[in-house]
């Protein structure tokens, strides 16, 4: 995955500790992870997501054209209404995830860091005779997240994507520091991720691998519209929905709080009754320390794992909650 080179200027704020891995370029936290989680849960502060890619699609055919390419029904998307959509492979595997909104003239989408170039290459290859213009706006715009309940105002003229989880602002990158000074406290991505895990919300590249289909991680109905066709991978979506079950399912794990270390992504998940040498039935996708729930995680497991089975994530005992029904 190719990464964008922009490093957030907010890493110069007091206490900022840089994030690593896919979230490199912004702050993991600003010195107090649990305080930041509480602030976010209470609707205060903002999260710097300026490392995410920003892609725009303009032109009179933008919605009808995207409707043919994405899993979501967007041909009649009202201006200002947020939605989520995927790009699938021919076999129905998830390749891209878009968080998007149309402002009446342009579709704005933010995507996982480093994925915008591949997404734009695909979109450009599908333009044909349609009146559309696709652009990478990552250099010019930074994504800032305001949590649900926030009373902070968006600057005039800024495109806003509002969801039940809060508002995403497509803020001119040159105004990021001024916005932070007026609307703090700044909150790191570790707090944002902990609340994401608590809410069972999957993320591309975390809860997905090269063979993930939307049914496995609960995206049917949220990012995939079942009453539209005409997009790549639609046959797989329809076949699994109508005739079968996905091979894996997403689960939420309450982890043993006495363990010092969290099981990282890729940690094998097994039946507790079989011990650490038992057959692997899945793997951890994201783990976090939550200010109220303690250590938690999301994991992908085989569909036939009993929903009441006690599990082991590596050597850590784990109780599961169903996210996707078997």
């Amino acid at each position: 995955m190719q990464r964008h080179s922009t490093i957030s200027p907010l890493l110069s704020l007091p206490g900022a500790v840089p994030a690593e891995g896919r979230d490199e370029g912004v702050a993991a936290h600003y010195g107090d992870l649990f305080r930041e989680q509480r602030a976010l849960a209470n609707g205060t502060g903002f999260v710097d997501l300026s490392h995410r890619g920003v892609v725009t699609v303009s032109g009179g055919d933008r919605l009808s054209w995207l409707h043919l390419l994405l899993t979501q029904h967007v041909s009649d998307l009202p201006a200002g209404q947020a939605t989520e959509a995927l790009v699938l492979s021919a076999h129905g595997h998830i390749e891209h995830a878009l968080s998007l909104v149309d402002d009446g003239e342009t579709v704005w989408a933010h995507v996982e860091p480093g994925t915008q170039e591949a997404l734009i290459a695909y979109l450009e290859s599908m333009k044909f005779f349609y009146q559309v213009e696709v652009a990478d706006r990552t250099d010019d715009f930074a994504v800032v997240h305001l949590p649900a309940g926030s009373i902070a105002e968006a600057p005039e003229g800024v495109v806003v994507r509002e969801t039940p989880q809060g508002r995403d602002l497509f803020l001119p990158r040159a105004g990021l520091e001024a916005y932070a000074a007026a609307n703090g406290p700044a909150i790191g991505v570790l707090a944002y991720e902990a609340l994401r895990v608590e809410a069972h919300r999957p993320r591309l590249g975390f809860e997905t691998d090269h063979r993930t289909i939307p049914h496995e991680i609960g995206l049917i109905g949220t990012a995939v519209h079942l009453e539209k066709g005409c997009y790549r991978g639609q046959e797989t979506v329809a076949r699994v929905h109508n005739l079968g079950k996905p091979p894996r399912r997403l689960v939420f794990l309450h982890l043993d709080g006495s363990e010092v270390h969290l099981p990282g992504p890729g940690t094998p998940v097994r039946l507790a009754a079989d011990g650490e040498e038992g057959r692997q039935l899945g793997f951890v996708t994201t783990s976090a320390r939550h200010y109220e729930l303690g250590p938690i995680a999301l994991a992908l497991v085989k569909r036939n794992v009993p929903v009441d089975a006690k599990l082991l994530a590596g050597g850590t005992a784990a109780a599961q909650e169903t996210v996707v029904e078997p």
Side-chain angles (χ1 to χ4, degrees):
M1 180 184 295
Q2 191 169 8
R3 297 195 177 282
H4 196 267
S5 60
T6 299
I7 303 298
S8 174
L10 303 191
L11 284 171
S12 65
L13 291 177
V17 175
E20 299 177 346
R22 291 186 179 93
D23 287 326
E24 183 181 3
V26 295
H29 61 85
Y30 294 89
D32 192 336
L33 176 60
F34 291 153
R35 178 190 60 76
E36 293 170 34
Q37 285 187 32
R38 291 188 186 94
L40 201 59
N42 290 331
T44 59
F46 71 91
V47 184
D48 175 13
L49 299 178
S50 61
H51 61 318
R52 290 183 64 82
V54 176
V55 176
T56 60
V57 181
S58 56
D61 293 338
R62 67 190 183 283
L63 292 177
S64 58
W65 177 67
L66 286 171
H67 186 78
L68 299 174
L69 304 178
L70 304 180
T71 57
Q72 188 57 270
H73 196 298
V74 297
S75 59
D76 303 311
L77 184 68
Q81 180 175 309
T83 192
E84 297 177 349
L86 307 174
V87 172
L88 304 181
S89 73
H91 298 292
H93 301 136
I94 300 173
E95 291 189 346
H96 294 282
L98 296 80
S99 299
L100 59 87
V101 67
D102 184 81
D103 68 2
E105 297 181 352
T106 300
V107 172
W108 294 75
H110 62 81
V111 300
E112 284 296 326
T115 66
Q116 64 269 22
E117 291 185 5
L119 172 62
I120 289 171
Y122 169 68
L123 294 177
E124 288 285 355
S125 75
M126 302 299 291
K127 284 173 66 172
F128 303 116
F129 56 84
Y130 290 92
Q131 299 300 307
V132 292
E133 293 295 331
V134 182
D136 183 350
R137 305 304 304 277
T138 311
D139 281 338
D140 305 316
F141 289 89
V143 179
V144 170
H145 175 76
L146 299 175
S150 170
I151 61 173
E153 295 185 0
E156 185 175 357
V158 166
V159 175
V160 178
R161 179 179 177 274
E162 186 165 0
T163 73
Q165 290 78 42
R167 289 172 289 159
D168 298 334
L169 311 184
F170 292 88
L171 191 73
R173 191 171 289 275
L176 182 57
E177 289 180 278
Y179 184 85
N183 294 277
I187 293 169
V189 290
L190 285 183
Y192 183 80
E193 284 290 279
L195 299 190
R196 177 182 71 81
V197 173
E198 177 194 15
H200 307 164
R201 288 186 288 116
R203 182 177 170 188
L204 181 75
F206 289 69
E207 280 62 57
T208 69
D209 57 21
H210 67 283
R211 59 191 180 97
T212 304
I213 60 175
H215 313 68
E216 295 179 317
I217 57 175
L219 292 180
I220 301 298
T222 57
V224 178
H225 195 287
L226 287 174
E227 296 181 9
K228 62 157 292 203
C230 301
Y231 62 88
R232 191 173 67 179
Q234 186 267 339
E235 295 84 357
T236 297
V237 169
R239 184 171 62 250
V240 174
H241 179 73
N242 293 320
L243 300 177
K245 296 284 188 178
R248 302 177 296 182
R249 61 186 180 89
L250 189 66
V251 297
F252 176 77
L253 301 179
H254 291 274
L255 301 171
D256 181 1
S258 65
E259 297 289 340
V260 175
H261 298 290
L262 288 173
T267 299
V269 172
R270 300 177 170 88
L271 291 176
D274 293 342
E276 293 184 51
E277 302 303 318
R279 183 166 62 96
Q280 181 173 342
L281 300 174
F283 57 92
V284 171
T285 57
T286 307
S287 58
R289 296 193 185 277
H290 191 275
Y291 75 106
E292 287 187 334
L293 300 177
I296 56 176
L298 293 171
L300 271 178
V301 300
K302 293 181 181 296
R303 177 173 58 84
N304 59 2
V305 173
V307 296
D308 57 350
K310 301 296 183 184
L311 302 176
L312 278 179
T316 302
Q320 61 169 314
E321 288 184 13
T322 299
V323 177
V324 174
E325 296 289 338

